[in-house]
Amino acid sequence: MDAADRCEQIISLLTLSSCLPVSPSLLQPTPVILLKEGTDTSQGIPQLISNINACQVIAEAVRTTLGPRGMDKLMVDSRGKATISNDGATILKLLDVVHPAAKTLVDIARSQDAEVGDGTTSVTLLAAEFLKQLKSYVEEGLHPQTIIRAFRTATNLAVSKIKEIAVSVKKDDKQEQRELLEKCAATALNSKLIAGQKEFFSKMVVDAVMSLEELMSLKMIGIKKVQGGALEESQLVSGVAFKKTFSYAGFEMQPKRYENPKIALLNVELELKAEKDNAEVRVKSVEACGGSIQTSVGAMTDDVLGQCELFEEVQVGGERYNFFKGCPKAKTCTIILRGGAEQFTEETERSLHDAIMIVRRAIKNDSVVAGGGAIEMELSKYLRDYSRTIPGKQQLLIGAYAKALEIIPRQLCDNAGFDATNILNKLRAKHAQGGMWYGVDINNEDIADNFVACVWEPSIVRINALTAASEAACLILSVDETIKNPRSTMDGPPGGAGRGRGRGRPHAH
Protein backbone atom coordinates (compact mmCIF):
# COMPACT_ATOMS: atom_id res chain seq x y z
CA MET A 1 0.00 0.00 0.00
CA ASP A 2 1.56 3.22 -1.06
CA ALA A 3 1.47 6.52 0.79
CA ALA A 4 -1.49 7.91 -1.21
CA ASP A 5 -3.70 4.96 -0.24
CA ARG A 6 -2.66 5.32 3.41
CA CYS A 7 -3.67 9.02 3.41
CA GLU A 8 -7.04 8.22 1.82
CA GLN A 9 -7.73 5.60 4.49
CA ILE A 10 -6.92 8.04 7.35
CA ILE A 11 -9.16 10.75 5.83
CA SER A 12 -12.10 8.36 5.47
CA LEU A 13 -11.65 7.25 9.09
CA LEU A 14 -11.63 10.88 10.29
CA THR A 15 -14.77 11.67 8.26
CA LEU A 16 -16.52 8.67 9.74
CA SER A 17 -15.61 9.66 13.32
CA SER A 18 -16.90 13.21 12.78
CA CYS A 19 -20.29 11.82 11.66
CA LEU A 20 -20.70 9.63 14.74
CA PRO A 21 -23.13 11.10 17.38
CA VAL A 22 -21.33 12.41 20.45
CA SER A 23 -22.95 11.64 23.81
CA PRO A 24 -24.30 14.95 25.29
CA SER A 25 -23.13 13.91 28.74
CA LEU A 26 -19.54 14.23 27.52
CA LEU A 27 -20.08 17.87 26.49
CA GLN A 28 -22.32 19.16 29.34
CA PRO A 29 -21.19 19.08 32.97
CA THR A 30 -23.52 17.14 35.26
CA PRO A 31 -25.89 19.54 37.06
CA VAL A 32 -25.21 19.84 40.80
CA ILE A 33 -28.41 19.59 42.82
CA LEU A 34 -27.82 21.85 45.79
CA LEU A 35 -31.29 22.78 47.00
CA LYS A 36 -34.22 20.61 47.93
CA GLU A 37 -36.66 19.85 45.13
CA GLY A 38 -39.41 22.44 44.89
CA THR A 39 -37.25 25.33 46.18
CA ASP A 40 -38.20 28.55 44.46
CA THR A 41 -35.27 30.78 43.50
CA SER A 42 -35.45 33.99 41.57
CA GLN A 43 -32.59 36.38 41.01
CA GLY A 44 -31.20 39.28 39.03
CA ILE A 45 -32.97 42.39 37.79
CA PRO A 46 -36.44 40.81 37.42
CA GLN A 47 -36.24 39.85 41.10
CA LEU A 48 -35.38 43.43 42.10
CA ILE A 49 -38.21 44.85 39.98
CA SER A 50 -40.65 42.38 41.52
CA ASN A 51 -39.60 43.49 45.03
CA ILE A 52 -40.04 47.16 44.06
CA ASN A 53 -43.52 46.41 42.70
CA ALA A 54 -44.48 44.65 45.94
CA CYS A 55 -43.49 47.75 47.91
CA GLN A 56 -45.64 49.90 45.60
CA VAL A 57 -48.64 47.75 46.49
CA ILE A 58 -48.02 48.26 50.23
CA ALA A 59 -47.81 52.04 49.70
CA GLU A 60 -51.08 51.97 47.75
CA ALA A 61 -52.77 50.51 50.83
CA VAL A 62 -51.91 53.50 53.05
CA ARG A 63 -51.51 56.23 50.42
CA THR A 64 -54.98 57.72 50.90
CA THR A 65 -54.70 58.00 54.69
CA LEU A 66 -52.09 60.79 54.62
CA GLY A 67 -52.92 64.23 55.93
CA PRO A 68 -55.93 66.09 57.33
CA ARG A 69 -58.16 65.07 54.43
CA GLY A 70 -57.00 61.45 54.49
CA MET A 71 -59.53 58.63 54.38
CA ASP A 72 -59.82 55.85 56.97
CA LYS A 73 -59.53 52.12 56.42
CA LEU A 74 -61.81 49.46 57.86
CA MET A 75 -60.03 46.18 58.46
CA VAL A 76 -61.70 42.95 59.54
CA ASP A 77 -59.49 40.22 60.98
CA SER A 78 -59.99 36.44 60.79
CA ARG A 79 -62.13 36.49 63.93
CA GLY A 80 -64.42 39.13 62.45
CA LYS A 81 -63.21 42.01 64.67
CA ALA A 82 -63.48 45.29 62.80
CA THR A 83 -60.88 48.05 63.21
CA ILE A 84 -61.25 51.51 61.74
CA SER A 85 -57.95 53.36 61.55
CA ASN A 86 -56.07 56.11 59.84
CA ASP A 87 -52.69 55.27 61.40
CA GLY A 88 -50.21 53.81 58.90
CA ALA A 89 -48.56 51.51 61.44
CA THR A 90 -51.88 50.09 62.68
CA ILE A 91 -53.09 49.41 59.13
CA LEU A 92 -49.86 47.68 58.09
CA LYS A 93 -49.81 45.65 61.31
CA LEU A 94 -53.32 44.36 60.59
CA LEU A 95 -52.54 43.54 56.95
CA ASP A 96 -51.19 40.02 56.82
CA VAL A 97 -48.24 40.72 54.54
CA VAL A 98 -46.47 37.59 53.27
CA HIS A 99 -44.15 39.06 50.63
CA PRO A 100 -40.65 39.09 52.20
CA ALA A 101 -39.53 42.42 50.66
CA ALA A 102 -42.80 44.20 51.39
CA LYS A 103 -42.46 43.21 55.04
CA THR A 104 -39.53 45.64 55.24
CA LEU A 105 -41.94 48.55 54.77
CA VAL A 106 -44.20 47.20 57.49
CA ASP A 107 -41.17 47.05 59.81
CA ILE A 108 -40.09 50.65 59.17
CA ALA A 109 -43.64 51.85 59.83
CA ARG A 110 -43.56 49.99 63.14
CA SER A 111 -40.16 51.37 64.07
CA GLN A 112 -41.31 54.91 63.26
CA ASP A 113 -44.35 54.32 65.48
CA ALA A 114 -42.20 53.06 68.35
CA GLU A 115 -39.54 55.75 67.99
CA VAL A 116 -41.53 58.94 67.38
CA GLY A 117 -45.16 57.88 67.26
CA ASP A 118 -46.23 59.85 64.21
CA GLY A 119 -45.27 59.93 60.52
CA THR A 120 -45.87 56.23 59.91
CA THR A 121 -47.74 56.78 56.63
CA SER A 122 -45.12 59.30 55.45
CA VAL A 123 -42.25 56.90 56.01
CA THR A 124 -43.96 54.10 54.03
CA LEU A 125 -44.81 56.46 51.17
CA LEU A 126 -41.29 57.88 51.03
CA ALA A 127 -39.64 54.45 50.91
CA ALA A 128 -41.99 53.28 48.15
CA GLU A 129 -41.52 56.49 46.17
CA PHE A 130 -37.71 56.23 46.42
CA LEU A 131 -37.95 52.76 44.90
CA LYS A 132 -40.40 53.91 42.23
CA GLN A 133 -38.03 56.67 41.08
CA LEU A 134 -35.16 54.18 40.91
CA LYS A 135 -37.04 51.50 38.98
CA SER A 136 -36.04 52.84 35.54
CA TYR A 137 -32.36 53.02 36.55
CA VAL A 138 -32.42 49.42 37.81
CA GLU A 139 -34.07 48.26 34.56
CA GLU A 140 -31.32 49.96 32.57
CA GLY A 141 -28.76 47.94 34.49
CA LEU A 142 -27.29 50.56 36.83
CA HIS A 143 -25.55 48.75 39.66
CA PRO A 144 -27.54 48.83 42.94
CA GLN A 145 -24.43 49.71 44.97
CA THR A 146 -24.00 52.94 42.95
CA ILE A 147 -27.60 53.84 43.76
CA ILE A 148 -27.19 52.99 47.44
CA ARG A 149 -24.08 55.16 47.70
CA ALA A 150 -25.89 58.13 46.15
CA PHE A 151 -28.89 57.65 48.45
CA ARG A 152 -26.73 57.55 51.57
CA THR A 153 -25.10 60.82 50.49
CA ALA A 154 -28.49 62.41 49.80
CA THR A 155 -29.90 61.31 53.18
CA ASN A 156 -26.92 62.73 55.06
CA LEU A 157 -27.25 66.03 53.19
CA ALA A 158 -31.01 66.17 53.87
CA VAL A 159 -30.61 65.43 57.59
CA SER A 160 -27.93 68.08 58.05
CA LYS A 161 -30.13 70.56 56.13
CA ILE A 162 -33.09 69.85 58.46
CA LYS A 163 -30.86 70.41 61.50
CA GLU A 164 -29.60 73.62 59.98
CA ILE A 165 -33.02 75.18 59.22
CA ALA A 166 -35.05 73.78 62.15
CA VAL A 167 -36.27 76.46 64.55
CA SER A 168 -35.48 75.77 68.19
CA VAL A 169 -37.84 76.97 70.88
CA LYS A 170 -36.68 78.35 74.21
CA LYS A 171 -37.43 76.10 77.14
CA ASP A 172 -37.05 78.89 79.71
CA ASP A 173 -40.36 80.51 78.87
CA LYS A 174 -42.86 77.93 80.14
CA GLN A 175 -45.84 79.59 78.43
CA GLU A 176 -44.09 79.67 75.03
CA GLN A 177 -42.98 76.06 75.39
CA ARG A 178 -46.53 75.03 76.24
CA GLU A 179 -47.90 76.76 73.14
CA LEU A 180 -45.30 75.01 70.99
CA LEU A 181 -46.23 71.62 72.44
CA GLU A 182 -49.94 72.25 71.90
CA LYS A 183 -49.29 73.16 68.26
CA CYS A 184 -47.22 70.00 67.74
CA ALA A 185 -49.98 67.88 69.33
CA ALA A 186 -52.61 69.62 67.18
CA THR A 187 -50.57 68.92 64.01
CA ALA A 188 -50.35 65.23 64.97
CA LEU A 189 -54.13 65.10 65.61
CA ASN A 190 -54.94 66.97 62.39
CA SER A 191 -55.00 63.83 60.27
CA LYS A 192 -56.95 61.72 62.78
CA LEU A 193 -60.63 61.01 63.28
CA ILE A 194 -60.77 63.45 66.20
CA ALA A 195 -59.36 66.40 64.21
CA GLY A 196 -62.55 68.34 64.98
CA GLN A 197 -61.72 68.27 68.70
CA LYS A 198 -57.97 68.82 68.31
CA GLU A 199 -57.95 72.00 70.48
CA PHE A 200 -59.57 70.11 73.35
CA PHE A 201 -57.37 67.01 73.07
CA SER A 202 -54.08 68.79 72.40
CA LYS A 203 -54.47 70.68 75.72
CA MET A 204 -55.30 67.41 77.47
CA VAL A 205 -52.30 65.62 75.96
CA VAL A 206 -49.90 68.42 76.90
CA ASP A 207 -51.31 68.48 80.47
CA ALA A 208 -50.84 64.72 80.68
CA VAL A 209 -47.22 64.78 79.48
CA MET A 210 -46.30 67.83 81.55
CA SER A 211 -47.56 66.09 84.70
CA LEU A 212 -45.00 63.29 84.24
CA GLU A 213 -41.53 63.22 85.70
CA GLU A 214 -38.21 63.65 83.88
CA LEU A 215 -38.15 60.20 82.26
CA MET A 216 -41.66 60.67 80.84
CA SER A 217 -42.51 56.97 80.95
CA LEU A 218 -45.53 56.15 78.78
CA LYS A 219 -46.63 53.61 81.39
CA MET A 220 -47.49 56.48 83.71
CA ILE A 221 -50.28 57.69 81.43
CA GLY A 222 -53.22 55.34 81.74
CA ILE A 223 -56.00 55.47 79.15
CA LYS A 224 -59.41 54.08 80.12
CA LYS A 225 -62.26 53.84 77.62
CA VAL A 226 -65.88 54.25 78.75
CA GLN A 227 -68.56 53.81 76.12
CA GLY A 228 -71.30 56.38 75.78
CA GLY A 229 -71.31 60.15 76.10
CA ALA A 230 -69.69 62.72 73.86
CA LEU A 231 -65.99 63.05 73.06
CA GLU A 232 -65.88 66.35 74.93
CA GLU A 233 -66.82 64.53 78.13
CA SER A 234 -63.41 62.84 78.13
CA GLN A 235 -61.37 63.97 81.11
CA LEU A 236 -57.86 63.92 82.49
CA VAL A 237 -57.43 62.73 86.09
CA SER A 238 -54.13 63.77 87.64
CA GLY A 239 -53.56 60.57 89.57
CA VAL A 240 -54.76 56.98 89.36
CA ALA A 241 -58.25 56.05 88.18
CA PHE A 242 -59.68 52.59 87.85
CA LYS A 243 -63.03 50.90 87.58
CA LYS A 244 -64.05 49.48 90.95
CA THR A 245 -67.05 49.91 93.17
CA PHE A 246 -67.50 49.50 96.88
CA SER A 247 -69.29 46.22 97.36
CA TYR A 248 -69.85 45.40 101.02
CA ALA A 249 -72.84 45.57 103.29
CA GLY A 250 -73.98 49.09 104.01
CA PHE A 251 -71.59 50.71 101.52
CA GLU A 252 -74.32 53.12 100.35
CA MET A 253 -74.16 54.82 103.75
CA GLN A 254 -70.40 55.33 103.57
CA PRO A 255 -68.95 58.65 102.36
CA LYS A 256 -67.67 58.46 98.77
CA ARG A 257 -64.99 61.09 99.27
CA TYR A 258 -62.00 61.20 101.63
CA GLU A 259 -59.34 63.87 101.98
CA ASN A 260 -55.76 62.85 102.81
CA PRO A 261 -56.67 59.18 103.39
CA LYS A 262 -54.18 56.49 104.29
CA ILE A 263 -54.12 53.67 101.73
CA ALA A 264 -53.47 50.05 102.68
CA LEU A 265 -52.37 47.83 99.78
CA LEU A 266 -53.36 44.28 100.67
CA ASN A 267 -52.51 41.18 98.74
CA VAL A 268 -55.57 39.53 100.25
CA GLU A 269 -58.75 38.39 98.46
CA LEU A 270 -61.31 40.78 99.91
CA GLU A 271 -63.77 40.08 97.11
CA LEU A 272 -64.16 37.63 94.29
CA LYS A 273 -62.95 39.43 91.20
CA ALA A 274 -60.54 38.70 88.38
CA GLU A 275 -57.08 38.68 89.97
CA LYS A 276 -55.64 40.51 86.94
CA ASP A 277 -57.73 43.60 87.76
CA ASN A 278 -56.74 43.54 91.41
CA ALA A 279 -53.06 43.15 90.55
CA GLU A 280 -53.19 46.09 88.11
CA VAL A 281 -54.83 48.27 90.77
CA ARG A 282 -52.20 47.33 93.37
CA VAL A 283 -49.21 47.95 91.09
CA LYS A 284 -50.55 51.32 89.89
CA SER A 285 -51.30 52.38 93.45
CA VAL A 286 -47.84 51.40 94.72
CA GLU A 287 -46.18 53.40 91.94
CA ALA A 288 -48.33 56.43 92.62
CA CYS A 289 -49.18 56.55 96.32
CA GLY A 290 -46.13 55.00 97.92
CA GLY A 291 -46.47 52.36 100.62
CA SER A 292 -45.84 48.67 100.11
CA ILE A 293 -48.04 45.66 99.45
CA GLN A 294 -48.92 43.73 102.61
CA THR A 295 -49.97 40.09 102.73
CA SER A 296 -51.61 40.34 106.16
CA VAL A 297 -53.34 43.01 108.22
CA GLY A 298 -51.17 42.34 111.27
CA ALA A 299 -48.51 45.04 111.08
CA MET A 300 -50.12 48.17 109.70
CA THR A 301 -47.60 50.87 110.51
CA ASP A 302 -47.42 54.31 108.90
CA ASP A 303 -44.42 53.45 106.74
CA VAL A 304 -46.21 50.68 104.83
CA LEU A 305 -49.31 52.78 104.13
CA GLY A 306 -49.66 54.96 101.05
CA GLN A 307 -51.48 58.24 100.94
CA CYS A 308 -52.98 60.75 98.52
CA GLU A 309 -54.64 64.14 98.77
CA LEU A 310 -58.11 63.11 97.70
CA PHE A 311 -59.96 59.84 97.11
CA GLU A 312 -63.42 59.78 95.58
CA GLU A 313 -65.79 57.45 93.79
CA VAL A 314 -67.38 58.99 90.72
CA GLN A 315 -69.98 57.79 88.24
CA VAL A 316 -68.57 57.85 84.67
CA GLY A 317 -71.17 56.73 82.13
CA GLY A 318 -72.46 53.36 83.24
CA GLU A 319 -69.39 52.61 85.35
CA ARG A 320 -68.26 53.75 88.77
CA TYR A 321 -64.63 54.83 88.98
CA ASN A 322 -62.29 55.33 91.91
CA PHE A 323 -60.04 58.38 91.63
CA PHE A 324 -56.85 58.81 93.65
CA LYS A 325 -55.81 62.43 93.12
CA GLY A 326 -52.69 64.24 94.22
CA CYS A 327 -50.46 61.19 94.60
CA PRO A 328 -47.18 62.25 96.25
CA LYS A 329 -44.83 59.58 94.92
CA ALA A 330 -45.02 59.34 91.16
CA LYS A 331 -46.39 61.78 88.69
CA THR A 332 -49.11 59.76 87.02
CA CYS A 333 -52.29 60.64 85.22
CA THR A 334 -55.21 58.81 83.64
CA ILE A 335 -57.17 59.88 80.59
CA ILE A 336 -60.78 58.71 80.59
CA LEU A 337 -62.10 58.62 77.03
CA ARG A 338 -65.79 58.81 76.20
CA GLY A 339 -67.36 58.11 72.83
CA GLY A 340 -70.05 56.19 71.00
CA ALA A 341 -68.88 53.14 69.07
CA GLU A 342 -66.12 50.92 70.41
CA GLN A 343 -64.05 51.26 67.20
CA PHE A 344 -64.26 55.03 67.57
CA THR A 345 -62.92 55.12 71.13
CA GLU A 346 -60.14 52.69 70.12
CA GLU A 347 -59.11 54.91 67.22
CA THR A 348 -59.22 57.93 69.57
CA GLU A 349 -56.86 56.08 71.91
CA ARG A 350 -54.43 55.37 69.03
CA SER A 351 -54.59 59.02 67.95
CA LEU A 352 -53.85 60.22 71.47
CA HIS A 353 -50.95 57.79 71.69
CA ASP A 354 -49.44 59.43 68.57
CA ALA A 355 -49.96 62.91 70.01
CA ILE A 356 -48.47 61.92 73.39
CA MET A 357 -45.37 60.49 71.68
CA ILE A 358 -44.97 63.65 69.61
CA VAL A 359 -45.21 65.91 72.68
CA ARG A 360 -42.63 63.76 74.51
CA ARG A 361 -40.28 64.07 71.53
CA ALA A 362 -40.85 67.82 71.30
CA ILE A 363 -39.92 68.24 74.99
CA LYS A 364 -36.70 66.25 74.54
CA ASN A 365 -35.75 67.77 71.16
CA ASP A 366 -36.86 71.36 71.18
CA SER A 367 -36.46 72.10 67.45
CA VAL A 368 -39.44 72.17 65.08
CA VAL A 369 -40.04 72.38 61.34
CA ALA A 370 -43.16 73.28 59.35
CA GLY A 371 -45.36 70.37 58.25
CA GLY A 372 -47.81 70.14 55.38
CA GLY A 373 -45.14 69.24 52.83
CA ALA A 374 -43.09 72.41 53.48
CA ILE A 375 -39.92 70.74 54.77
CA GLU A 376 -40.02 68.11 51.98
CA MET A 377 -40.28 70.81 49.28
CA GLU A 378 -37.37 72.72 50.81
CA LEU A 379 -35.19 69.58 50.95
CA SER A 380 -36.22 68.70 47.40
CA LYS A 381 -35.11 72.13 46.14
CA TYR A 382 -31.84 71.94 48.12
CA LEU A 383 -30.94 68.47 46.81
CA ARG A 384 -31.91 69.35 43.25
CA ASP A 385 -29.62 72.38 43.37
CA TYR A 386 -26.84 70.28 44.91
CA SER A 387 -27.18 67.54 42.27
CA ARG A 388 -26.41 70.06 39.52
CA THR A 389 -23.01 70.76 41.03
CA ILE A 390 -21.75 67.17 40.80
CA PRO A 391 -20.87 65.10 37.72
CA GLY A 392 -21.69 61.52 36.78
CA LYS A 393 -24.46 59.13 37.72
CA GLN A 394 -24.71 60.57 41.24
CA GLN A 395 -26.27 63.68 39.71
CA LEU A 396 -29.20 61.70 38.29
CA LEU A 397 -29.67 59.65 41.44
CA ILE A 398 -29.68 62.57 43.87
CA GLY A 399 -32.10 64.29 41.47
CA ALA A 400 -34.34 61.20 41.69
CA TYR A 401 -34.17 61.39 45.51
CA ALA A 402 -35.19 65.06 45.35
CA LYS A 403 -38.12 64.23 43.09
CA ALA A 404 -39.27 61.42 45.38
CA LEU A 405 -39.54 63.83 48.33
CA GLU A 406 -42.32 65.66 46.50
CA ILE A 407 -44.65 62.68 47.06
CA ILE A 408 -45.70 64.06 50.47
CA PRO A 409 -47.13 67.43 49.29
CA ARG A 410 -48.46 65.75 46.13
CA GLN A 411 -50.32 63.12 48.12
CA LEU A 412 -51.68 65.75 50.53
CA CYS A 413 -53.18 67.53 47.51
CA ASP A 414 -54.53 64.34 45.97
CA ASN A 415 -56.20 63.30 49.22
CA ALA A 416 -57.88 66.69 49.56
CA GLY A 417 -59.05 66.61 45.93
CA PHE A 418 -56.84 69.51 44.82
CA ASP A 419 -54.96 69.91 41.54
CA ALA A 420 -51.61 68.55 42.68
CA THR A 421 -49.58 69.65 39.63
CA ASN A 422 -50.73 73.24 39.91
CA ILE A 423 -50.03 73.48 43.66
CA LEU A 424 -46.62 71.81 43.34
CA ASN A 425 -45.63 74.27 40.61
CA LYS A 426 -46.58 77.15 42.90
CA LEU A 427 -44.60 75.57 45.75
CA ARG A 428 -41.51 75.04 43.58
CA ALA A 429 -41.63 78.66 42.49
CA LYS A 430 -42.11 79.91 46.07
CA HIS A 431 -39.25 77.81 47.44
CA ALA A 432 -36.97 78.96 44.61
CA GLN A 433 -37.70 82.56 45.71
CA GLY A 434 -36.70 81.69 49.28
CA GLY A 435 -40.07 80.96 50.94
CA MET A 436 -38.69 77.97 52.80
CA TRP A 437 -41.73 77.21 55.00
CA TYR A 438 -44.35 77.28 52.27
CA GLY A 439 -46.49 74.14 52.13
CA VAL A 440 -49.96 73.00 51.12
CA ASP A 441 -52.84 75.00 52.60
CA ILE A 442 -55.57 72.39 53.00
CA ASN A 443 -58.30 74.86 53.96
CA ASN A 444 -58.05 77.21 50.99
CA GLU A 445 -56.73 74.96 48.19
CA ASP A 446 -53.60 77.04 47.89
CA ILE A 447 -50.12 77.38 49.36
CA ALA A 448 -49.36 79.10 52.66
CA ASP A 449 -46.51 79.74 55.07
CA ASN A 450 -47.12 76.77 57.34
CA PHE A 451 -44.78 78.05 60.01
CA VAL A 452 -46.97 81.11 60.47
CA ALA A 453 -50.06 78.88 60.20
CA CYS A 454 -48.66 76.86 63.17
CA VAL A 455 -48.50 73.52 61.35
CA TRP A 456 -45.44 72.41 63.30
CA GLU A 457 -43.82 69.09 63.99
CA PRO A 458 -40.63 68.13 65.83
CA SER A 459 -37.68 67.95 63.41
CA ILE A 460 -36.79 64.52 64.84
CA VAL A 461 -39.95 63.09 63.20
CA ARG A 462 -38.77 64.12 59.75
CA ILE A 463 -35.16 63.08 60.36
CA ASN A 464 -36.31 59.66 61.53
CA ALA A 465 -38.71 59.26 58.59
CA LEU A 466 -36.04 60.13 56.02
CA THR A 467 -33.34 57.88 57.45
CA ALA A 468 -35.74 54.94 57.94
CA ALA A 469 -37.22 55.28 54.42
CA SER A 470 -33.81 55.60 52.82
CA GLU A 471 -32.44 52.61 54.75
CA ALA A 472 -35.43 50.49 53.73
CA ALA A 473 -35.01 51.46 50.06
CA CYS A 474 -31.28 50.63 50.20
CA LEU A 475 -32.00 47.32 51.92
CA ILE A 476 -34.50 46.27 49.24
CA LEU A 477 -32.09 47.35 46.47
CA SER A 478 -29.26 45.32 47.91
CA VAL A 479 -31.24 42.05 47.64
CA ASP A 480 -30.69 40.37 44.28
CA GLU A 481 -31.88 36.84 44.96
CA THR A 482 -34.71 35.26 46.91
CA ILE A 483 -34.61 31.59 47.83
CA LYS A 484 -37.88 30.23 49.15
CA ASN A 485 -37.74 26.85 50.83
CA PRO A 486 -40.58 24.48 49.96
CA ARG A 487 -43.22 23.97 52.62
CA SER A 488 -42.94 20.74 54.51
CA THR A 489 -45.45 18.11 53.39
CA MET A 490 -46.25 17.35 57.01
CA ASP A 491 -48.47 20.01 58.50
CA GLY A 492 -47.45 19.35 62.06
CA PRO A 493 -44.24 20.63 63.68
CA PRO A 494 -41.09 18.68 62.77
CA GLY A 495 -40.58 15.66 64.94
CA GLY A 496 -44.03 15.97 66.45
CA ALA A 497 -45.76 13.63 64.00
CA GLY A 498 -48.02 11.09 65.56
CA ARG A 499 -48.25 12.81 68.92
CA GLY A 500 -51.89 13.66 69.49
CA ARG A 501 -53.62 15.34 72.32
CA GLY A 502 -55.61 12.23 73.16
CA ARG A 503 -55.20 10.05 76.21
CA GLY A 504 -53.29 7.35 74.35
CA ARG A 505 -54.38 3.81 73.70
CA PRO A 506 -55.35 1.73 76.74
CA HIS A 507 -52.79 -1.01 77.38
CA ALA A 508 -53.87 -4.56 76.71
CA HIS A 509 -53.50 -6.41 79.99
Side-chain angles (χ1 to χ4, degrees), residues 11-176:
I11 288 167
S12 63
L13 273 171
L14 282 171
T15 316
L16 187 69
S17 70
S18 66
C19 295
L20 286 172
V22 180
S23 163
S25 60
L26 293 173
L27 297 177
Q28 289 174 352
T30 18
V32 179
I33 297 171
L34 184 69
L35 300 166
K36 198 169 165 187
E37 193 183 343
T39 304
D40 175 28
T41 67
S42 43
Q43 62 192 116
I45 291 178
Q47 165 62 32
L48 242 177
I49 298 295
S50 132
N51 284 350
I52 291 176
N53 291 342
C55 294
Q56 302 295 308
V57 175
I58 286 282
E60 285 301 322
V62 293
R63 188 181 288 282
T64 53
T65 65
L66 185 76
R69 297 279 186 275
M71 311 301 271
D72 295 352
K73 306 282 179 199
L74 187 143
M75 277 123 340
V76 184
D77 64 9
S78 52
R79 292 195 299 274
K81 183 178 184 295
T83 310
I84 297 175
S85 184
N86 175 297
D87 180 39
T90 310
I91 294 168
L92 293 179
K93 210 182 302 174
L94 291 169
L95 290 179
D96 204 358
V97 180
V98 289
H99 194 286
K103 275 187 177 162
T104 317
L105 291 199
V106 180
D107 290 344
I108 58 164
R110 281 186 181 179
S111 78
Q112 176 83 358
D113 195 37
E115 185 62 28
V116 278
D118 198 23
T120 48
T121 311
S122 308
V123 77
T124 314
L125 278 183
L126 277 172
E129 189 64 20
F130 285 155
L131 291 168
K132 184 178 169 186
Q133 294 294 336
L134 295 173
K135 196 169 158 185
S136 55
Y137 295 113
V138 173
E139 282 168 339
E140 284 164 13
L142 187 57
H143 198 282
Q145 287 305 332
T146 316
I147 301 176
I148 290 172
R149 201 161 58 245
F151 262 48
R152 296 227 162 106
T153 312
T155 309
N156 291 339
L157 285 166
V159 168
S160 50
K161 179 72 174 170
I162 294 178
K163 287 179 176 164
E164 178 194 322
I165 62 176
V167 178
S168 64
V169 175
K170 302 173 193 67
K171 283 187 175 175
D172 316 333
D173 185 353
K174 284 290 177 221
Q175 187 54 36
E176 193 180 328

Side-chain angles (χ1 to χ4, degrees), residues 69 411-420 445:
R69 297 279 186 275
Q411 197 59 49
L412 285 172
C413 294
D414 286 345
N415 289 354
F418 299 164
D419 179 350
E445 191 170 348

